[in-house]
Amino acid sequence: TWPQENDDDIDLEELIASLPKEKGFISPIQILYRNFWCPSEVFPGVHSFCRHFTAHDSDIILACKPKSGTTWLKALAFSALRRDVFPPSANNHPLMSSNPHELVPFFEFTIYGQAGELIDLASFSVPRLFATHIPHDSLPESVGQSGCRVIYICRNPLDTIVSFCHFAPQVKPELWSGGRSSMEEYLDYCCRGIDGFGPFWDHMLGYWKASLERPDKVLFLKYEDLREDTAGNLKRIAEFMGVPFSEEEERDGVIEEIVKLCSLSSLKELEVNKTGKPGVWSTENKTYFRKGEVGDWVNHMTPSMAEKLERIMEEKLSPFGLKF
Ligand code: A3P
């Protein structure tokens, strides 16, 4: 539970001062808010979203911890959901000129994160498609109370940590250069449950349990499964969103077209993703596309680092049937 905040004139500085804080790895500090560690720079957006967003029954929200496959899921869900207006084979498909983060905005970075200038939610096509990194149990109440659907993607924490440790120093070199932070230190914070939007086990288990309780409202995916069978999982995503592929579409290869359009190799080569900036952390689009390999952690972690994290995963995730 967290303090109820009904007062619109709440003083953010005062609120932040009253909350527990720790060293940050992508923002100068992390703030414990609503039972998760919020990177300080995104705190105003998180706070505004949690207090002001009202979900509609038809809304679809993509949720994940950073570096779990957010960009890929955004591309796939957008392409499947809007394929009546934007056929995946079209030369002017929005993914050709816009990064997935522009097409499916985050609540906390983009929609509520623009220093008070709220994006007009009424201008969104229905069903509205959004994204968030916020844990399930910390989302605004209307998300659980409405018919709104949530698609969650998670990834082996070993690979997520490696991915983050390649991403964060590019976005915030001042927090990493000169030995200010290292993968070993970040891993230690993760093991102690002090990672952005985490503890990571609470993040996964919150959505995992919700998907078991309300399978028609919460779809739980793994990056590894998506890599192994992208087409099969894309079909599940489309069905879950209420836009299943017809037999005719399957025959015409629409699923394969979307898989190809959204593949790492296709997106990475687009000019927009080589040069543009989408505004999330004000980082360059190219930082979202690296190797996309399952098990890349073996190339970057010592056996003792991996063992330390695997012990925590065994303790926290295995009892609930979550394995990687
Ligand atoms: P690696 O750093 O392991 O390569 P997020 O999108 O949540 O920020 O996650 C980024 C990770 O997803 C990176 O992993 C990135 O390479 C990978 N990724 C990005 N786009 C992808 C795609 N279209 N298909 C598969 N993986 C993708």
Side-chain angles (χ1 to χ4, degrees):
T1 55
W2 46 83
Q4 289 303 308
E5 304 156 35
N6 298 318
D7 181 6
D8 266 349
D9 299 326
I10 201 149
D11 184 331
L12 269 196
E13 301 279 312
E14 239 174 66
L15 174 63
I16 291 171
S18 72
L19 295 170
K21 288 169 220 58
E22 284 279 354
K23 169 183 169 150
F25 293 85
I26 194 144
S27 265
I29 53 172
Q30 309 187 63
I31 302 167
L32 186 62
Y33 176 67
R34 289 192 168 220
N35 297 338
F36 71 93
W37 288 100
C38 181
S40 49
E41 284 165 346
V42 76
F43 184 82
V46 164
H47 183 257
S48 180
F49 163 54
C50 288
R51 284 165 23 107
H52 298 301
F53 178 68
T54 305
H56 294 175
D57 287 342
S58 57
D59 286 345
I60 299 169
I61 300 176
L62 311 180
C64 50
K65 275 266 291 162
K67 314 326 290 171
S68 302
T70 326
T71 315
W72 193 15
L73 180 61
K74 283 183 176 189
L76 289 168
F78 177 90
S79 305
L81 189 65
R82 308 271 188 247
R83 66 187 187 274
D84 53 341
V85 191
F86 306 117
S89 54
N91 285 336
N92 61 349
H93 190 280
L95 276 174
M96 299 287 179
S97 50
S98 303
N99 176 268
H101 294 288
E102 287 174 77
L103 301 175
V104 186
F106 279 112
F107 286 119
E108 58 273 17
F109 295 100
T110 313
I111 297 171
Y112 289 93
Q114 314 263 348
E117 288 172 39
L118 297 190
I119 290 178
D120 181 10
L121 290 175
S123 67
F124 277 64
S125 308
V126 176
R128 303 183 302 180
L129 186 59
F130 303 113
T132 188
H133 284 321
I134 294 178
H136 181 268
D137 297 347
S138 309
L139 289 169
E141 274 179 10
S142 68
V143 173
Q145 289 166 350
S146 65
C148 159
R149 275 165 286 190
V150 177
I151 306 178
Y152 182 71
I153 186 160
C154 70
R155 185 180 188 189
N156 186 338
L158 292 153
D159 282 336
T160 311
I161 287 176
V162 167
S163 184
F164 181 83
C165 291
H166 281 90
F167 177 74
Q170 294 182 68
V171 180
K172 285 292 161 74
E174 66 276 19
L175 300 179
W176 290 76
S177 59
R180 283 189 198 93
S181 301
S182 66
M183 188 182 294
E184 192 144 18
E185 186 191 12
Y186 177 65
L187 184 136
D188 178 60
Y189 271 69
C190 291
C191 289
R192 292 195 284 132
I194 311 170
D195 51 318
F197 303 96
F200 71 83
W201 52 85
D202 283 348
H203 205 282
M204 289 182 189
L205 291 175
Y207 284 100
W208 175 242
K209 289 176 188 168
S211 74
L212 298 176
E213 281 161 19
R214 303 163 65 232
D216 54 330
K217 297 295 172 215
V218 182
L219 176 67
F220 190 95
L221 302 170
K222 285 186 187 156
Y223 182 89
E224 293 75 16
D225 296 341
L226 213 55
R227 282 305 307 253
E228 196 170 299
D229 179 11
T230 314
N233 279 290
L234 176 59
K235 276 173 76 169
R236 288 178 70 203
I237 292 169
E239 261 167 46
F240 180 80
M241 294 194 298
V243 289
F245 291 101
S246 66
E247 278 180 22
E248 191 185 350
E249 283 182 308
E250 290 209 29
R251 257 199 323 273
D252 291 349
V254 175
I255 296 176
E256 286 71 24
E257 276 170 4
I258 294 179
V259 169
K260 186 158 175 259
L261 175 69
C262 300
S263 70
L264 182 58
S265 51
S266 307
L267 293 181
K268 206 175 181 172
E269 290 311 315
L270 293 170
E271 201 49 38
V272 60
N273 293 326
K274 285 183 176 170
T275 54
K277 284 192 179 196
V280 175
W281 298 117
S282 302
T283 187
E284 290 176 273
N285 287 338
K286 65 178 182 211
T287 51
Y288 290 96
F289 308 95
R290 198 178 64 95
K291 284 162 87 177
E293 268 176 22
V294 172
D296 185 40
W297 61 268
V298 292
N299 301 313
H300 302 277
M301 279 189 194
T302 63
S304 74
M305 285 165 76
E307 272 165 32
K308 184 172 168 176
L309 190 66
E310 278 167 341
R311 265 200 307 278
I312 304 281
M313 287 159 63
E314 186 63 32
E315 180 197 326
K316 302 284 189 188
L317 301 177
S318 296
F320 298 92
L322 261 187
K323 287 197 185 278
F324 291 91

